Each structure stands twice: as structure tokens, then as C-alpha cells.
Amino acid sequence: MSNRLHEPGLALHVEDLTVSYHGKPVLWDIDFDIPPGVMAAIVGPNGAGKSTLIKSVLGLIPPMAGHVTLFGRPYRAQRKRVGYVPQRSSVDWDFPTTALDVVTMGLYGQLGWLRWPGRRERRRAMEALAMVGMQDFAGRQISQLSGGQQQRVFLARALVQQADIYLLDEPMAGVDATTERAIVELLQRLRDEGRTVIVVHHDLQTVRCWFDWLLMLNVRVVAQGPVEQVWTAENLRRTYGGQIALLDGDTSITAPAGPAARASGAS
Amino acid sequence: MLGDYTLQNVVMGALLLGAISGVLGSFAMLRRQSLLGDTLSHAALPGVCLGFIMAGSREMGSLMAGALGTGAVAALMVVLLTRYSRLKTDAALGIVLSTSFALGVVLLTFIQGMNNAAQGGLNAFLFGQAAATLRSDLLLMAGITALALILVLGLWKEFKLICFDPGFARAQGLPVLLLEVVLTVMIALAVVVGLQMVGVVLMAAMVIAPAVAARQWSPRLEVMVPLAALFGMAAGVSGALISTLGRGLATGPLIIICVSGFVLVSLLLAPRRGLLWEAAFRLRQRRRLRQQQLLTRLYRQASWHGEPRRGSGRKLADDDCDPRTRRVVRQLEQRGLVGCHDRHWMLTAEGHEAAARILAQLEGRAT
């Protein structure tokens, strides 16, 4: 790959991305861009390929075709600028380790071979734990934490990397309303610092008040752009198909309002 | 007794085997690959036979090289089967294990038919023959163990991360596949160390048991791994010493029985995770909750009656003649929280305070 930058003005640029699993397309010819400094949600029904998309961006799943650049360079060259929060259910929480230790793992990639984490790493991990309000649980064995606390530990592990782009896979799954709000406020603070936050999200109720950028996905890209422009009944119907009955109760969606009318509603 | 040359060899071999299998078994267990050790050790048998056929003698080096070779093939087969077929890991491990063991037994009988005088004791690799350990074997075993320990120390944080969260490890740029291969090869090496001592059939226990026992006692990987090594070494030495008590007692199986004893004790007694410990804890907890519940009930009734400490004692004594409640009342009486007054049960001053505290705590949690 040449050293030339490809779309350096975009935090994330995905072109022609196609991913298949067992001969079935999971993502089909995906094109999308996310500008820097936004908080973006990726929404779509189950099996739409949301997690697969995140994993392909991180190079965890080899694509059949297409390419991904972050700030103009492939992921391999930008690893240190990307923070990743996997789904909480992807690991065994009975693993013999403490909350502080898990957060320190976020620094392993920067530490380099043969080096053990020392006082400096532990201090940074403590700071990250404090940011998510978990400093009192640093020495706690991770299986003794509640679901919301585990999620916050995972978040702290990404925060400690001090990345420019954060990719989060369903960080709000299975946490209570208080924790959810705390996580959102933290993510919004990151965005206000100029970082880019990309979240796989499953709760349509909250999309409009929390996010400012939206990608609607169902194997293919249905719509993308600023939330107030993309959030239309038509787009939702095209993304979720028959499941739209679930949304009909929300009058603001069915109401035939133009993008401008809703722009004032978005925070 | 320890001056005995053979015993010295056996004890040293057992120490080495305990250390390497405890350390590597911990990582295998945490990656949910405890059975990998089993498969690799059974796959070592055809390798040992092939090594013998090629070298024409029971020379340790070629036997071990053969064991390593077939172990590697077996590990590769498991990886291919899980990746390209619909088999799950356990089924793939089972198939490769039984196939290679059958192959090994066939080769073993074939060698016995060759009438080669040098074959003597080749089937000792099935259950090990610790007493036949030579100083040169020990040197090889020590070299392998040292290599494994150095690798684990050097790659500690990498191994930890790929065991806990391999996806995150890859996103961090770690060569996860390579590290997994290194771990697997090292387990195959540990199997080679154990062949002479405990044999292919029982080697799996050496990989699994010390790790399982150690996990019971510690919630930290940094403690668990050395502890597993310690358990492995202690079992090795005890087994070796016990085998000297009687004539012709097999060392290998005794080592495995010792390590199984560690597992049994750990599963039952370890704080927080032990079965008995947990049962006792739950019993204590339930008794405490019952007492608290009754205290707050009396408290509520007392405030209902407008009398600060009076509970509806007659109800407790007569209507609620459920023996469990009476037992709890008696427990509270012993603790001085409840007193009997004129056939009425009443909260004492301490009981009143305790009940108020419990309720305040419950409310504090809700906010």
C-alpha cells in the first residue's frame, strides 16, 4: 500500500466493503463516511451486520472486497488512534483478574514486547477508572461486578488508550438507565473534545436525542448523514421492513415533517 | 532414602513436570482448552512409536521428536476441523484424540511383533515408567521447562490478553494466531516432559488438575499460575515418595492421584468458590436474612401499635406457630435483640436500633 493519504479529512471512510460468512453476504457493497468530531450511531435490525461492520473496520474479519481508511490511512497504521469496546458478552467474566487489570490491558498494545505494566500504567488505568466512576472497584474481581459496572470497566479500557476514534459495540446493552445516561454523557464529552465516537446502538427511542450522525444498515447501507436528515419514516421502514409496526406508536416518526422541522428538536 | 540415585531422578523429574504442566495448564484451562492436553498426549503415542521405528532403539531424543511431530499434526487437525467443518472444538478434539491413540496402539503392537530386543518397555509410555528416568532425560526435561517458563514470563501480558479477550488483542495488533501456536507447541512440549513420568493416558490430568485446583484459591492470574506450578510440583514429589513405600508401586498414577486429591480438596474447601464453603456461607447468610426480616417485621408492628418497641408477641407465639419462626425468635433472643415480656415478644432497645439500621440501609440502596 502506498503512503498516499486516502480521504484524510474523514474519521472513517469505508468503500465497497463486502463481507461474507459461510458463503452468505453479511455486508454488501458498503459505502459510508463519518466526519471527525461527531457521535454516530449505527442502527439496524438483528443480522444487519452491525457488529461485523465494526469488526471489519478493525481488521478482525477479512473482507471479500473493499477497503477502510481512518484519517486517510488503513487501520494497521492507525491502531494507536482507535479505541475499541467489544460486546460485554464476548468475554468470560470469571477470568481471574481485577477491574484495574482489565483497564491496564488497554495499554498492552502501546507497551511493546517483553515489558510488564508498571506504576505509570497503573496510574493511567486508575484515572480511566475514575472517569467512569469505578475507582472504588479497582481491586474487585471482575466476576463480582454488576453488568453495568463491567460495561464501564470495558469503556475505561478504551478510554485509557486516549484514542481519536472510539468504536463501541452495543455499550448500552443490559445496563440500567442510570448507567446508560452516565455512559452517554461520557461519550458526548469525548465528542466535545473533538474525538469521533461510533456506537452500534439498538434502542431507536434514544437515537435522536443522543447522536448527531446516523448510519442505517441492513446488509446494505439504507441511509447515512446527520440524524435530523436521515431520521425519516421512509428510511426506518426500509431498514427494519416488517418490524415497522413497533415504531408506529412514535408519532414523531409517522408525522410528515421535513428535515428542517426536526433539526430544532435534535440537541 | 533421598540419597537413592533413582529416587533423586524421579523426584527431580516430578518437580519439572509439575512446574511446566501447572503453568501451561493454567493458560490452557483459561482458554477453555483443557482437553487440548489430553489430545496432544494421546497423539504423542504414534509419534513415540514412529521415533522408535526410525531410530531402531529407545533413544529419548528421537522418541520425543516423534511425539512432538505427531502432536503438531494433531493440533493442526483440530484447528482445521473446527475452522472448516461444522464440528465444535470438543468434538474435533475427541475425534483427533481417539484416532491418534488407536493409531498409536496399532503401531505399538506392530513393534512388539518385530521381536526387536530394544523395544523393551516401550509400552511403559502408556502409563509412564518414572524409575527408568535417566540423568540425560532430566537434562532435556529441565531444558524444555526452562524454555517454557522464560517464554511465559516474557510474554505474560500477551498470553493473559489472548486468554481473556482475543478479539481485543487482535485489535491491539497482537499476533494472536502466532501466540496461540506458541502456547500449543509448549503444551506439546510439556506432554513430552510428562511421557516418561506419567505416560500418555494420564498426562491430561497433569495439565488440567493443578490449574483447576489453583483457580479455586485465587482470583488473580499472577497468583494462580505460580500456585498451579506449586500444586503440580507438590503432587509430583508426594507421588514419588509414596511410591517408595511399597514394592513396585507405579509412580505416575500415584502422582495423578495426589494431584486429584488437591483438586478434590480445592473444589470442596476453597474460600468463595469451594462447594462446602459456599454452602456454609449461604446457610449463614440465610439465617442472617431471616433474623433481619423478623426484626423489621416486629419493628413495623410496633410502630403500627404506636408503641415504640412492642411487637405483636401473642401472634408470634401462638398463631404463627411455624417452628422456623420460633427458632428465629429464639436466635434473636440469644443475641439480646428481642425479649419476652408478659407473654409478648418485644424488641429490646438494641433490637429497635438494629431494625432501624437495616431499614435505613435498604432505603439507602434504593436511592
Side-chain angles (χ1 to χ4, degrees):
Chain A
M1 172 129 341
S2 72
N3 245 345
R4 202 163 44 88
L5 295 181
H6 182 70
E7 298 284 3
L10 293 168
L12 176 60
H13 167 72
V14 174
E15 204 174 308
D16 299 335
L17 184 72
T18 298
V19 177
S20 74
Y21 185 68
H22 280 317
K24 278 193 195 129
V26 184
L27 293 173
W28 192 256
D29 206 10
I30 300 274
D31 285 300
F32 77 93
D33 300 314
I34 289 180
V38 300
M39 184 153 151
I42 301 177
V43 300
N46 289 338
K50 303 185 294 285
S51 292
T52 307
L53 180 57
I54 293 256
K55 285 180 183 154
S56 327
V57 169
L58 294 165
L60 299 181
I61 297 176
M64 231 173 83
H67 69 258
V68 174
T69 58
L70 301 132
F71 292 114
R73 289 207 173 85
Y75 175 71
R76 251 176 307 117
Q78 299 283 43
R79 217 172 257 143
K80 295 210 164 95
R81 298 178 69 183
V82 181
Y84 170 43
V85 180
Q87 283 186 20
R88 183 163 56 88
S89 56
S90 65
V91 304
D92 174 14
W93 288 91
D94 196 34
F95 193 85
T97 189
T98 61
L100 184 69
D101 217 27
V102 171
V103 179
T104 315
M105 288 178 189
L107 295 167
Y108 284 5
Q110 300 172 16
L111 256 178
W113 296 98
L114 299 179
R115 294 203 28 220
W116 282 52
R119 192 175 300 148
R120 211 175 71 89
E121 282 71 31
R122 269 198 299 281
R123 205 197 61 234
R124 284 181 63 185
M126 258 331 258
E127 286 167 9
L129 269 179
M131 281 179 75
V132 297
M134 288 286 293
Q135 64 276 29
D136 295 338
F137 297 88
R140 191 72 74 88
Q141 211 271 318
I142 54 173
S143 65
Q144 313 269 318
L145 300 172
S146 73
Q149 291 170 334
Q150 291 174 347
Q151 190 65 63
R152 282 190 276 165
V153 167
F154 253 22
L155 195 57
R157 182 177 68 171
L159 289 177
V160 80
Q161 294 176 268
Q162 303 192 317
D164 295 321
I165 306 178
Y166 283 97
L167 295 163
L168 301 93
D169 200 345
E170 304 238 12
M172 271 66 123
V175 306
D176 62 30
T178 322
T179 310
E180 187 164 321
R181 203 169 316 124
I183 290 176
V184 168
E185 275 165 17
L186 189 68
L187 296 180
Q188 286 173 339
R189 206 158 73 228
L190 290 174
R191 176 199 56 195
D192 295 342
E193 289 170 8
R195 305 174 204 267
T196 312
V197 179
I198 302 169
V199 180
V200 169
H201 198 56
H202 63 285
D203 183 10
L204 287 175
Q205 309 288 337
T206 50
V207 167
R208 272 179 313 154
C209 48
W210 289 348
F211 296 94
D212 40 32
W213 199 269
L214 184 60
L215 173 71
M216 290 173 152
L217 190 73
N218 192 350
V219 183
R220 310 184 65 171
V221 172
V222 176
Q224 58 174 320
V227 172
E228 60 269 25
Q229 285 170 28
V230 176
W231 187 265
T232 65
E234 173 57 21
N235 281 340
L236 282 165
R237 200 161 278 135
R238 279 170 58 209
T239 312
Y240 286 87
Q243 295 169 41
I244 198 69
L246 188 135
L247 299 162
D248 282 337
D250 190 345
T251 49
S252 61
I253 298 169
T254 45
R262 211 167 292 107
S264 56
S267 60
Chain B
M1 190 169 75
L2 278 168
D4 181 67
Y5 177 79
T6 314
L7 185 61
Q8 272 178 7
N9 282 355
V10 171
V11 166
M12 282 202 299
L15 280 173
L16 290 171
L17 172 64
I20 190 172
S21 50
V23 169
L24 296 178
S26 300
F27 288 103
M29 185 191 90
L30 292 174
R31 290 172 59 219
R32 300 168 180 274
Q33 293 203 328
S34 295
L35 282 177
L36 185 67
D38 204 8
T39 303
L40 290 183
S41 58
H42 282 82
L45 188 61
V48 167
C49 295
L50 286 175
F52 176 83
I53 293 172
M54 285 181 195
S57 71
R58 259 196 82 208
E59 186 215 330
M60 205 59 182
S62 55
L63 298 193
M64 287 188 168
L68 251 187
T70 47
V73 172
L76 191 69
M77 288 302 295
V78 171
V79 170
L80 291 178
L81 277 176
T82 42
R83 183 158 296 184
Y84 295 108
S85 78
R86 284 171 181 270
L87 289 185
K88 300 275 179 289
T89 315
D90 57 341
L93 284 169
I95 287 173
V96 174
L97 180 153
S98 39
T99 311
S100 39
F101 189 57
L103 212 65
V105 173
V106 168
L107 282 173
L108 204 60
T109 48
F110 170 73
I111 291 171
Q112 276 162 351
M114 289 192 336
N115 276 330
N116 181 337
Q119 70 163 48
L122 198 59
N123 52 8
F125 280 109
L126 276 178
F127 296 106
Q129 195 176 36
T133 312
L134 303 173
R135 274 286 144 91
S136 56
D137 302 344
L138 279 183
L139 224 56
L140 189 67
M141 289 161 73
I144 292 174
T145 307
L147 176 76
L149 293 184
I150 288 169
L151 271 173
V152 166
L153 272 180
L155 299 174
W156 181 267
K157 68 177 190 303
E158 284 80 8
F159 283 152
K160 181 155 110 185
L161 190 50
I162 66 164
C163 290
F164 176 61
D165 194 347
F168 187 78
R170 275 180 64 195
Q172 294 267 293
L174 290 185
V176 173
L177 187 68
L178 180 69
L179 288 165
E180 280 176 346
V181 167
V182 170
L183 267 180
T184 307
V185 168
M186 286 202 302
I187 290 174
L189 282 169
V191 167
V192 167
V193 170
L195 282 183
Q196 178 80 50
M197 300 295 302
V198 297
V200 296
V201 179
L202 291 175
M203 186 54 207
M206 261 335 262
V207 174
I208 301 170
V212 168
R215 175 67 188 94
Q216 288 291 106
W217 297 96
S218 173
R220 300 283 322 256
L221 188 68
E222 284 73 12
V223 180
M224 173 193 161
V225 171
L227 199 60
L230 210 68
F231 281 156
M233 294 196 293
V237 174
S238 335
L241 292 181
I242 293 172
S243 72
T244 61
L245 297 178
R247 280 201 83 178
L249 279 181
T251 311
L254 278 171
I255 292 177
I256 302 302
I257 288 175
C258 286
V259 83
S260 307
F262 286 165
V263 170
L264 192 69
V265 170
S266 308
L267 282 180
L268 288 178
L269 296 181
R272 272 187 287 277
R273 296 176 76 92
L275 290 173
L276 285 180
W277 193 95
E278 218 188 337
F281 177 79
R282 231 178 265 158
L283 203 70
R284 234 182 5 247
Q285 198 79 354
R286 197 156 41 195
R287 181 182 294 172
R288 221 190 62 195
L289 279 182
R290 281 219 185 93
Q291 293 182 2
Q292 291 186 341
Q293 191 269 339
L294 197 65
L295 267 185
T296 53
R297 192 167 127 208
L298 284 171
Y299 181 87
R300 211 181 47 220
Q301 284 171 347
S303 48
W304 181 263
H305 286 296
E307 287 177 51
R309 275 162 45 193
R310 160 143 178 216
S312 86
R314 193 167 294 283
K315 251 191 138 32
L316 275 179
D318 303 336
D319 305 354
D320 271 356
C321 54
D322 151 32
R324 186 191 281 163
T325 311
R326 248 180 278 150
R327 204 170 58 228
V328 178
V329 169
R330 214 144 293 136
Q331 286 163 4
L332 287 172
E333 192 184 10
Q334 269 172 20
R335 286 175 60 195
L337 300 176
V338 160
C340 184
H341 194 268
D342 191 17
R343 279 192 48 77
H344 285 272
W345 292 105
M346 296 202 348
L347 289 174
T348 62
E350 286 96 346
H352 191 78
E353 230 171 78
R357 220 170 25 240
I358 293 163
L359 287 172
Q361 251 173 25
L362 280 175
E363 266 168 39
R365 273 197 63 176
T367 52

